[in-house]
Each structure stands twice: as C-alpha cells, then as structure tokens.
Amino acid sequence: MKITGCAVHAVTVTFEGVMPGTHVVLRLRTDEGLEGVSYVSRLGPRTLRPMALMIEAMVESLHGLDPRHTEDLHHRLTGPKLGAPVSGLELRAASAVDVACWDLKGKALGQPVYKLMGGFRDRRPVSANWALMPGQPRDRLAAHLEALLARGFRAVKCPVGFVPLDEAIDHVRFVRSVVGASTRIIVDLNFQTTIKQALRFARETEALDLFWIEDPVAFHDYEGMAQIRAQATQSITGGEVYQFPHEFRWLLERGGCDIAMIDQDLGLTGFLKVAHMAQAYGCPVVNHLAPEALSHAIAAVPNGLIVGLVPWGQPLFTEPLRIEDGDLVMPTAPGLGLTLDEDVLRRCAIS
Ligand SMILES: [Mg+2]
C-alpha cells in the first residue's frame, strides 16, 4: 500500500449547541482505495490555513511510501532536520498524518487500532469534559451534571483555573454535592496557581476526594510540580502541552506527576512511547483532547487509566463514541472506527 495524496477540510462544528471547535480534518489516500482519517483542533485564524498547508506538504513528502510503517513515517516527519528539532505547528501537523497512518494500518489489517497496539482492554472509564466551568448559573450546572449521570457518565472534569481560588473550591464543592460520592471529579487548575495556592486548593478539597488535580503550575516548572505532588495527598496530573517524550521524561524523573496526560501532538506513535516509559515509573496515562484517536492508545496499554471526552470533534463523525455504564466501549470496526459525516464537512466548511 502506498500513500498517493490527501484531502484536507477546515471546519467549525458545535457539539450539542454548547461546545464549538475549529478543526482541520485529514483524509489520507492510498493506491488501494483505503483512506486514513484524523483531525487537528485548537486552531484559530492565524493557524488554520498554515496547518492545512503544512499537512498537505507533509503528505506530499510521503508520496509512494507505505503508511503501515508508522515509525518510519513519523520519524521522517518529526526527526531533527539539519540538526534543528521540529516543533510547534509542524509537530501538530505531523501528528495528524501519524494518526491517519495508524487508521490506515488498522483498516489494511482488518483490526481496530487499539488491538494492533497491544489490545490490553476493550473498554475504559470515560470522563465528561464539557460545560462544567464555574461562573454559570447553579441550576444550569446541576441540570447538566444530572443529564451526564443519566447518560451513563461516572466521571466529570471541571476547569477552574481562571476564577479566584475560593470560587474554584466552592465550585468543586457544589459539583460534589450534585453528583454524589460515587462519581469521579477531576479538577483542572489550567497552569494558573502558584505552588502555595495549589497546595491550599489541594488541602481544602481533600474531603471531596478528587480523582486528580491537573496542571497547577506552569508546564515547564518540573520542580514545582514535584513539590506539589510531594506535599498534596491527592493525585497530580500534568503533561498536556508537551510535544516530546523527553519532556515527560524530565517530569517523571523528578517525580512531578502521579498521572501523565498525553496530547495528540505526539501522534499515536509518540503517545505509545510515553505510555510505556510512564509504565516503567508506575505512572498511569490519560489523553488530552482527540478522544476518538487517543482512546485507542489508552485501551491498548496496561497503564491507560481513563479517557477524557472533549467532544468538540464528535460532530465530524456519523457515530458518537459509545458510552456504557461509565465506560467508553472501543469500536470493533477496523482502524480507528470512525466514519466522517460528509454532509457536516460540506455544511460546516470554512471558506
Ligand atoms: Mg488541562
């Protein structure tokens, strides 16, 4: 099988009327008629077109190569060029190509991607990561939480970094009062607190039994993360903005997290490297965004903990991810198990 080209779509879609997302969708084409699918998010007016152009240029550089050789292709796109490391947007574009190659590999072999990657489990707990921020009317928040529980979710994630600490603590208390004791609550401090503020937050929410506290301090403050982790009794999670395995190595070597959060920027190829490295440190891994792709890596490895469902890419596909009794049930179809909604791609295209 050989790569022959691609189609790239820039779209803005909104999940259930509450969560908009702008994405570049890649369809990676081959001489056998199979198509690999992926998408990149977190794009704005300055990055949308460069991302689409970069993906097209990368695919062109891979013409004639076999997409099943994921290590080879990912290395060609992300290995050092003339001594300079590839970074930033380029890595994000390369990750989209990598994910589409894994999709193609699964389709070519007639297997779901998570089975090719190790197939450790076929379902994982899933958290609902939308519309749970502070600052909204309490009755609306309560209704949303109850609707999530009714849909089978048993874990929720609240971003609270952008409000004052007392308001953040109050918000989490309220969420616990609505969801009861058996639902997992994840809290994201979004890199906004100092070490002392983070420790105060951890202390004052101790009785709320949070599943983890995420990104208390700046992402490059490995020592700060280690200090918080050493003093807090709750689990500390970090890693969502790292683009290289060695950044996770630096965090893990310093004891800077209980749980490593891995973004699609590393590709599925890089995700697996970090997951295996983290396992050697006794550290579970979770995904940042792109649950449709990254859930495969989480299901594949023994230390895949839970899938975070940020659903803004869900409208791109004809079938929603399957949630059952608090778990994401992995698809049985070959590849990533995703079918693009052609009508949505047409209607929501950004011209
Ligand atoms: Mg986060």
Side-chain angles (χ1 to χ4, degrees):
M1 183 159 59
K2 290 186 173 69
I3 291 172
T4 54
C6 69
V8 172
H9 309 262
V11 289
T12 295
V13 291
T14 301
F15 174 75
E16 296 185 354
V18 292
M19 193 177 213
T22 295
H23 316 283
V24 166
V25 176
L26 166 64
R27 323 170 75 139
L28 185 60
R29 297 199 162 126
T30 64
D31 62 342
E32 295 186 9
L34 289 175
E35 187 176 271
V37 170
S38 65
Y39 72 95
V40 185
S41 309
R42 290 182 293 148
L43 297 166
R46 283 177 303 178
T47 49
L48 191 65
R49 296 207 178 284
M51 177 59 68
L53 290 171
M54 216 175 312
I55 290 174
E56 283 170 347
M58 284 182 174
V59 170
E60 190 158 346
S61 75
L62 301 178
H63 272 202
L65 298 175
D66 190 329
R68 291 169 297 188
H69 299 162
T70 44
E71 284 286 343
D72 175 31
L73 270 51
H74 195 56
H75 189 76
R76 283 172 191 258
L77 295 179
T78 64
K81 307 277 188 302
L82 300 171
V86 175
S87 65
L89 279 188
E90 261 188 286
L91 279 173
R92 303 189 60 202
S95 77
V97 178
D98 180 69
V99 170
C101 285
W102 275 99
D103 188 32
L104 277 169
K105 178 150 62 171
K107 284 169 175 164
L109 296 170
Q111 291 289 320
V113 168
Y114 78 96
K115 290 200 174 175
L116 295 181
M117 290 176 158
F120 195 75
R121 304 178 179 98
D122 56 15
R123 54 197 293 159
R124 283 320 281 143
V126 61
S127 66
N129 297 7
W130 74 96
L132 292 167
M133 65 291 282
Q136 55 181 311
R138 286 275 159 102
D139 54 345
R140 190 170 79 194
L141 177 60
H144 178 50
L145 286 164
E146 277 153 13
L148 290 173
L149 298 185
R151 286 163 75 163
F153 286 98
R154 297 293 173 263
V156 295
K157 175 165 155 178
C158 309
V160 300
F162 296 99
V163 297
L165 209 59
D166 287 330
E167 191 180 335
I169 294 165
D170 194 45
H171 180 76
V172 182
R173 265 195 205 118
F174 179 75
V175 170
R176 176 57 82 205
S177 75
V178 175
V179 300
S182 60
T183 298
R184 289 162 164 168
I185 300 176
I186 298 162
V187 173
D188 194 345
L189 291 175
N190 309 103
F191 313 103
Q192 297 303 308
T193 52
T194 63
I195 293 172
K196 286 190 175 168
Q197 285 171 332
L199 287 171
R200 191 186 133 215
F201 181 89
R203 221 171 28 246
E204 293 195 22
T205 56
E206 210 162 16
L208 299 174
D209 187 29
L210 303 182
F211 194 48
W212 75 64
I213 297 172
E214 180 174 326
D215 291 333
V217 290
F219 60 87
H220 57 266
D221 187 1
Y222 303 101
E223 311 296 347
M225 289 288 284
Q227 198 178 325
I228 293 164
R229 182 183 171 229
Q231 293 182 40
T233 55
Q234 315 199 49
S235 291
I236 303 296
T237 297
E240 70 173 49
V241 294
Y242 297 156
Q243 292 192 308
F244 297 99
H246 68 255
E247 293 171 295
F248 286 95
R249 191 187 109 201
W250 292 340
L251 188 67
L252 291 165
E253 280 176 344
R254 287 165 174 81
C257 68
D258 297 283
I259 298 159
M261 176 169 285
I262 313 171
D263 189 84
Q264 184 180 262
D265 283 9
L266 287 101
L268 281 167
T269 296
F271 191 115
L272 284 180
K273 292 181 199 302
V274 174
H276 294 320
M277 175 172 62
Q279 188 184 359
Y281 283 86
C283 179
V285 297
V286 295
N287 66 301
H288 180 234
L289 311 181
E292 297 85 357
L294 301 184
S295 58
H296 282 266
I298 291 175
V301 298
N303 54 331
L305 181 62
I306 184 171
V307 176
L309 176 50
V310 173
W312 57 11
Q314 284 282 278
L316 300 170
F317 306 105
T318 54
E319 295 290 324
L321 293 172
R322 203 171 129 209
I323 314 293
E324 230 178 64
D325 301 326
D327 287 344
L328 172 68
V329 181
M330 296 306 294
T332 52
L336 296 173
L338 302 171
T339 306
L340 287 169
D341 188 324
E342 305 289 350
D343 185 44
V344 165
L345 292 185
R346 257 193 313 274
R347 272 192 298 113
C348 304
I350 304 169
S351 54

mmCIF file of all heavy atoms in Angstrom, residues 1-5 29-32 62-68:
data_model
loop_
_atom_site.group_PDB
_atom_site.id
_atom_site.type_symbol
_atom_site.label_atom_id
_atom_site.label_comp_id
_atom_site.label_asym_id
_atom_site.label_seq_id
_atom_site.Cartn_x
_atom_site.Cartn_y
_atom_site.Cartn_z
ATOM 1 N N MET A 1 0.851 -1.204 0.000
ATOM 2 C CA MET A 1 0.000 0.000 0.000
ATOM 3 C C MET A 1 0.884 1.251 0.000
ATOM 4 O O MET A 1 1.877 1.320 0.723
ATOM 5 C CB MET A 1 -0.885 -0.014 1.253
ATOM 6 C CG MET A 1 -1.852 1.147 1.301
ATOM 7 S SD MET A 1 -3.269 0.866 2.399
ATOM 8 C CE MET A 1 -2.473 0.584 3.963
ATOM 9 N N LYS A 2 0.478 2.214 -0.815
ATOM 10 C CA LYS A 2 1.286 3.441 -0.942
ATOM 11 C C LYS A 2 0.420 4.684 -0.749
ATOM 12 O O LYS A 2 -0.720 4.742 -1.206
ATOM 13 C CB LYS A 2 1.915 3.519 -2.344
ATOM 14 C CG LYS A 2 3.007 2.501 -2.611
ATOM 15 C CD LYS A 2 3.636 2.785 -3.966
ATOM 16 C CE LYS A 2 4.846 1.900 -4.224
ATOM 17 N NZ LYS A 2 4.498 0.486 -4.426
ATOM 18 N N ILE A 3 0.996 5.690 -0.126
ATOM 19 C CA ILE A 3 0.317 6.979 0.016
ATOM 20 C C ILE A 3 0.307 7.679 -1.343
ATOM 21 O O ILE A 3 1.344 7.770 -2.010
ATOM 22 C CB ILE A 3 1.031 7.851 1.065
ATOM 23 C CG1 ILE A 3 0.842 7.242 2.462
ATOM 24 C CG2 ILE A 3 0.510 9.299 1.030
ATOM 25 C CD1 ILE A 3 1.648 7.909 3.553
ATOM 26 N N THR A 4 -0.884 8.164 -1.736
ATOM 27 C CA THR A 4 -0.994 8.826 -3.045
ATOM 28 C C THR A 4 -1.392 10.294 -2.942
ATOM 29 O O THR A 4 -1.315 11.030 -3.921
ATOM 30 C CB THR A 4 -2.039 8.112 -3.924
ATOM 31 O OG1 THR A 4 -3.272 8.041 -3.180
ATOM 32 C CG2 THR A 4 -1.593 6.713 -4.297
ATOM 33 N N GLY A 5 -1.878 10.727 -1.777
ATOM 34 C CA GLY A 5 -2.307 12.123 -1.650
ATOM 35 C C GLY A 5 -3.242 12.295 -0.475
ATOM 36 O O GLY A 5 -3.353 11.418 0.379
ATOM 37 N N ARG A 29 -4.949 9.438 1.494
ATOM 38 C CA ARG A 29 -5.381 8.500 0.443
ATOM 39 C C ARG A 29 -4.257 7.552 0.028
ATOM 40 O O ARG A 29 -3.077 7.915 0.107
ATOM 41 C CB ARG A 29 -5.895 9.297 -0.744
ATOM 42 C CG ARG A 29 -7.121 10.094 -0.297
ATOM 43 C CD ARG A 29 -7.994 10.553 -1.434
ATOM 44 N NE ARG A 29 -9.292 10.909 -0.892
ATOM 45 C CZ ARG A 29 -9.903 12.089 -1.076
ATOM 46 N NH1 ARG A 29 -9.345 13.002 -1.859
ATOM 47 N NH2 ARG A 29 -11.085 12.337 -0.542
ATOM 48 N N THR A 30 -4.683 6.382 -0.446
ATOM 49 C CA THR A 30 -3.710 5.356 -0.844
ATOM 50 C C THR A 30 -4.074 4.760 -2.205
ATOM 51 O O THR A 30 -5.210 4.906 -2.667
ATOM 52 C CB THR A 30 -3.692 4.195 0.172
ATOM 53 O OG1 THR A 30 -4.978 3.562 0.149
ATOM 54 C CG2 THR A 30 -3.377 4.687 1.565
ATOM 55 N N ASP A 31 -3.113 4.050 -2.772
ATOM 56 C CA ASP A 31 -3.342 3.420 -4.082
ATOM 57 C C ASP A 31 -4.308 2.241 -3.980
ATOM 58 O O ASP A 31 -4.775 1.744 -5.001
ATOM 59 C CB ASP A 31 -2.003 2.963 -4.682
ATOM 60 C CG ASP A 31 -1.314 1.931 -3.819
ATOM 61 O OD1 ASP A 31 -1.661 1.807 -2.617
ATOM 62 O OD2 ASP A 31 -0.416 1.225 -4.329
ATOM 63 N N GLU A 32 -4.614 1.780 -2.761
ATOM 64 C CA GLU A 32 -5.554 0.654 -2.617
ATOM 65 C C GLU A 32 -6.976 1.118 -2.341
ATOM 66 O O GLU A 32 -7.849 0.303 -2.030
ATOM 67 C CB GLU A 32 -5.060 -0.291 -1.513
ATOM 68 C CG GLU A 32 -3.739 -0.950 -1.894
ATOM 69 C CD GLU A 32 -3.274 -2.004 -0.904
ATOM 70 O OE1 GLU A 32 -4.053 -2.366 -0.001
ATOM 71 O OE2 GLU A 32 -2.129 -2.456 -1.063
ATOM 72 N N LEU A 62 5.558 12.280 1.563
ATOM 73 C CA LEU A 62 5.473 10.838 1.857
ATOM 74 C C LEU A 62 4.894 10.039 0.688
ATOM 75 O O LEU A 62 4.667 8.836 0.815
ATOM 76 C CB LEU A 62 4.593 10.614 3.097
ATOM 77 C CG LEU A 62 5.058 11.290 4.395
ATOM 78 C CD1 LEU A 62 4.065 11.011 5.517
ATOM 79 C CD2 LEU A 62 6.453 10.830 4.807
ATOM 80 N N HIS A 63 4.652 10.698 -0.432
ATOM 81 C CA HIS A 63 4.074 10.004 -1.596
ATOM 82 C C HIS A 63 4.875 8.745 -1.929
ATOM 83 O O HIS A 63 6.103 8.772 -1.964
ATOM 84 C CB HIS A 63 4.085 10.925 -2.827
ATOM 85 C CG HIS A 63 2.854 11.768 -2.916
ATOM 86 N ND1 HIS A 63 2.402 12.337 -4.083
ATOM 87 C CD2 HIS A 63 1.960 12.130 -1.968
ATOM 88 C CE1 HIS A 63 1.300 13.024 -3.849
ATOM 89 N NE2 HIS A 63 1.024 12.914 -2.579
ATOM 90 N N GLY A 64 4.147 7.658 -2.189
ATOM 91 C CA GLY A 64 4.800 6.418 -2.592
ATOM 92 C C GLY A 64 5.263 5.558 -1.431
ATOM 93 O O GLY A 64 5.676 4.425 -1.628
ATOM 94 N N LEU A 65 5.179 6.083 -0.198
ATOM 95 C CA LEU A 65 5.621 5.299 0.970
ATOM 96 C C LEU A 65 4.434 4.536 1.571
ATOM 97 O O LEU A 65 3.270 4.907 1.386
ATOM 98 C CB LEU A 65 6.254 6.207 2.017
ATOM 99 C CG LEU A 65 7.513 6.947 1.551
ATOM 100 C CD1 LEU A 65 7.985 7.915 2.627
ATOM 101 C CD2 LEU A 65 8.627 5.939 1.216
ATOM 102 N N ASP A 66 4.753 3.474 2.315
ATOM 103 C CA ASP A 66 3.737 2.606 2.896
ATOM 104 C C ASP A 66 3.272 3.177 4.242
ATOM 105 O O ASP A 66 4.072 3.269 5.181
ATOM 106 C CB ASP A 66 4.333 1.199 3.094
ATOM 107 C CG ASP A 66 3.272 0.181 3.471
ATOM 108 O OD1 ASP A 66 2.272 0.567 4.129
ATOM 109 O OD2 ASP A 66 3.434 -0.998 3.123
ATOM 110 N N PRO A 67 1.992 3.562 4.369
ATOM 111 C CA PRO A 67 1.515 4.193 5.608
ATOM 112 C C PRO A 67 1.518 3.247 6.808
ATOM 113 O O PRO A 67 1.397 3.708 7.945
ATOM 114 C CB PRO A 67 0.080 4.617 5.250
ATOM 115 C CG PRO A 67 -0.334 3.707 4.157
ATOM 116 C CD PRO A 67 0.920 3.419 3.367
ATOM 117 N N ARG A 68 1.649 1.946 6.563
ATOM 118 C CA ARG A 68 1.680 0.997 7.695
ATOM 119 C C ARG A 68 2.984 1.075 8.471
ATOM 120 O O ARG A 68 3.074 0.600 9.586
ATOM 121 C CB ARG A 68 1.456 -0.438 7.167
ATOM 122 C CG ARG A 68 0.046 -0.672 6.656
ATOM 123 C CD ARG A 68 -0.075 -1.970 5.908
ATOM 124 N NE ARG A 68 0.755 -1.982 4.695
ATOM 125 C CZ ARG A 68 0.721 -2.928 3.778
ATOM 126 N NH1 ARG A 68 -0.115 -3.948 3.920
ATOM 127 N NH2 ARG A 68 1.497 -2.875 2.712
#
